[in-house]
Amino acid sequence: MTQTSAAPPAPAPPARSPRALLRAVAIASCLPYMALKAAWVAGSHLGIPDGSVLLDHRATMAVANAGTLLMDGAVVVLTLLLTRPWGTRAPAWLLALPMWTATGLLLPIMAGFPLQLLVRALGGETPGEGGTGRPFLEEWVFGVVYTGFIVQGLALGTLFALYARDRWGHLWRGTLRELPDSPTAPALRAGAVAASLLALVPGVLHLLWACGATVGLNEARIAERTAGDSALEAVYAVCVAAGVAGVLLLAFRRSALPLRVPLALGWCGSAATACWGGWMSVGALSGADEAARQPTAAMVLTYAVQMLVGTLMVTVGAYFLAERAAGTRDAPA
């Protein structure tokens, strides 16, 4: 994930190609969100109803909106990096780290928002009001923003898969059982087991919250809970489980699965676990001046352990790929 290979970079795709179309789609999907965030930074209340909790802390929200605007701008840079000739010469870490972060932030939305719409279609409640009964955002904002995120994720993910196949595809050929013995296998197994044991904390709690339990939640979260929120908690639990499955398969290598399967599970699961752990930590602390929104010890612990678990998972995967790349370089032609 963070190690360049000896294989020469693939030539840049022709200008008129499916990748060029995906690039255009990815960039276009960023524009509505970026325009909305720019309007909010400039002081507009577009999509924010009167009385919204977002208007209580204008300076904080301006800083937060500017930060998320820059984050979506980074998606445009990533898209160019994946499709332009100069992108093939970029250091692996310069591409892998932001792409891993983008995967982690977008994947739960891509899975969770359609699931929430399904819950709504079946008669479940959806987010829209805070625990005080005050509106949060106009409903159309969620549709515009999350639809854009889903399109971004699909286009950017496809471009990255094509880029990674061209540049690093030789690293995940074959099956797990075909991997050679490694002197570092005990260390990888220890790291995978440690990550899996720690993952029980966020995994179990997210599963309990998905099933309707309120243990460990603050008053505001309990008051604002909806069926859609439970569906999203289930997505978080699945992401933790995917990461655990990926690193354990890589570490113990007792399956005939293609190598790309545990790598994909580890990449997606670790990214979603770590990045949303960090994002929810920020969200839990953003309303700390209100007693009902003070994060509980269980919430703080869950999100902190999520970040640790996801980081440990991706470290195991990165070390595995670094060793794999070194072995590929040393292998006879």
Side-chain angles (χ1 to χ4, degrees):
M1 295 179 186
T2 59
Q3 179 74 29
T4 56
S5 67
R16 295 171 180 252
S17 69
R19 299 191 201 201
L21 176 60
L22 286 169
R23 178 176 64 222
V25 170
I27 293 175
S29 66
C30 295
L31 298 181
Y33 181 79
M34 295 177 71
L36 192 59
K37 287 291 183 173
W40 290 346
V41 170
S44 172
H45 293 175
L46 178 65
I48 305 177
D50 294 337
S52 171
V53 294
L54 296 178
L55 301 177
D56 292 346
H57 308 280
R58 296 175 187 269
T60 301
M61 291 310 302
V63 173
N65 286 326
T68 51
L69 176 61
L70 290 175
M71 289 171 63
D72 216 42
V75 173
V76 176
V77 177
L78 271 176
T79 302
L80 296 174
L81 189 66
L82 293 169
T83 55
R84 302 305 301 167
W86 48 268
T88 61
R89 299 186 295 271
W93 67 267
L94 186 61
L95 172 65
L97 183 58
M99 191 64 219
W100 180 77
T101 304
T103 301
L105 293 176
L106 290 173
L107 186 60
I109 294 174
M110 294 170 64
F113 185 59
L115 190 56
Q116 287 181 316
L117 293 180
L118 177 61
V119 167
R120 180 179 185 179
L122 296 176
E125 298 174 342
T126 53
E129 293 187 348
T132 61
R134 290 189 291 169
F136 179 61
L137 285 171
E138 298 287 355
E139 189 173 345
W140 65 264
V141 176
F142 293 101
V144 169
V145 169
Y146 291 149
T147 300
F149 284 159
I150 291 171
V151 175
Q152 277 181 46
L154 292 172
L156 190 65
T158 303
L159 286 172
F160 179 66
L162 294 172
Y163 180 102
R165 181 197 63 187
D166 293 343
R167 185 169 177 178
W168 301 302
H170 61 287
L171 296 180
W172 51 76
R173 291 187 188 132
T175 68
L176 286 167
R177 285 180 179 170
E178 294 171 351
L179 290 171
D181 293 334
S182 168
T184 63
L188 289 177
R189 289 171 185 165
V193 169
S196 301
L197 292 175
L198 286 171
L200 289 173
V201 175
V204 169
L205 277 172
H206 282 304
L207 187 58
L208 288 173
W209 294 338
C211 294
T214 58
V215 57
L217 295 176
N218 59 24
E219 295 178 14
R221 284 285 297 276
I222 294 173
E224 296 166 1
R225 282 178 65 87
T226 66
D229 292 330
S230 295
L232 195 55
E233 293 292 349
V235 170
Y236 296 144
V238 169
C239 289
V240 173
V244 168
V247 295
L248 288 177
L249 285 168
L250 278 180
F252 289 93
R253 309 178 185 185
R254 294 176 182 173
S255 169
L257 284 173
L259 184 52
R260 62 180 178 272
V261 172
L263 285 173
L265 288 172
W267 175 276
C268 295
S270 68
T273 299
C275 295
W276 273 91
W279 188 261
M280 289 187 292
S281 292
V282 174
L285 296 173
S286 63
D289 57 331
E290 301 177 29
R293 294 185 178 276
Q294 286 280 350
T296 65
M299 293 169 66
V300 172
L301 177 65
T302 298
Y303 304 148
V305 174
Q306 269 191 238
M307 290 187 284
L308 176 61
V309 166
T311 301
L312 186 55
M313 286 176 178
V314 77
T315 300
V316 170
Y319 196 90
F320 169 84
L321 284 178
E323 184 181 49
R324 177 87 166 151
T328 302
R329 283 196 301 267
D330 296 339

